[in-house]
Amino acid sequence: MYERKTSIDIKCPLEYGMDVFGGKWKSRVICLLNQKKKLRYGELKNTLANITDTVLALTLKEMTESGIVERIQYNEIPPRVEYSLSEKGQSIVPVLENICKWAGFYYKNTDETRLSICYGCNYSKGE
């Protein structure tokens, strides 16, 4: 299993925020769970094209440990696990939606057209 080689050195609130929801996959997982409310591991994997099992498992573990995602395991055969946003995770959604609005306004693709929709969140062009 992966272990950090250095300790986390967070000196300001922004660094903490980027640790909690930054990176390529965490914000996508948050937006997806906000949209769908509950998803199983396989549903997350299928929706997040190009993510490996190792990266998804590590991302979900980190987000569960930081209190952003809740993991519910049902005692059934076959085993069933569902992931959903915690209250802390839901509080991040407006922040991510504002980032989407900002990026939708300022980012331009190479063909000079603006981004049309954010991945999995409620923001779309024109809102």
Side-chain angles (χ1 to χ4, degrees):
M1 186 162 123
Y2 173 79
E3 286 187 35
R4 281 187 189 266
K5 293 184 176 128
T6 59
S7 62
I8 297 173
D9 184 27
I10 295 176
K11 297 195 185 308
C12 77
L14 178 61
E15 289 177 4
Y16 171 71
M18 295 308 293
D19 185 58
V20 169
F21 63 82
K24 182 174 182 176
W25 298 108
K26 289 180 181 179
S27 59
R28 294 179 186 191
V29 169
I30 292 168
C31 289
L32 269 175
L33 290 176
N34 179 59
Q35 186 180 53
K36 303 289 186 180
K37 304 305 176 204
K38 287 184 182 180
L39 287 172
R40 295 176 71 173
Y41 181 90
E43 294 169 322
L44 278 164
K45 176 123 174 48
N46 290 338
T47 306
L48 296 169
N50 301 325
I51 192 170
T52 64
D53 282 318
T54 304
V55 171
L56 179 56
L58 182 61
T59 299
L60 289 170
K61 183 177 184 213
E62 288 175 357
M63 294 176 77
T64 301
E65 289 174 353
S66 65
I68 301 302
V69 170
E70 293 177 345
R71 181 184 188 272
I72 302 168
Q73 183 171 342
Y74 297 91
N75 292 329
E76 299 174 351
I77 297 177
R80 179 169 57 112
V81 176
E82 291 180 338
Y83 296 92
S84 61
L85 286 180
S86 66
E87 185 177 329
K88 183 177 177 182
Q90 291 170 3
S91 71
I92 295 171
V93 173
V95 174
L96 295 178
E97 287 176 343
N98 281 329
I99 292 170
C100 288
K101 288 177 186 176
W102 176 85
F105 183 77
Y106 285 105
Y107 178 83
K108 292 187 179 200
N109 290 326
T110 55
D111 64 357
E112 296 298 315
T113 59
R114 296 199 185 276
L115 299 172
S116 61
I117 190 164
C118 251
Y119 186 87
C121 79
N122 294 324
Y123 171 74
S124 63
K125 184 177 160 185
E127 286 185 13

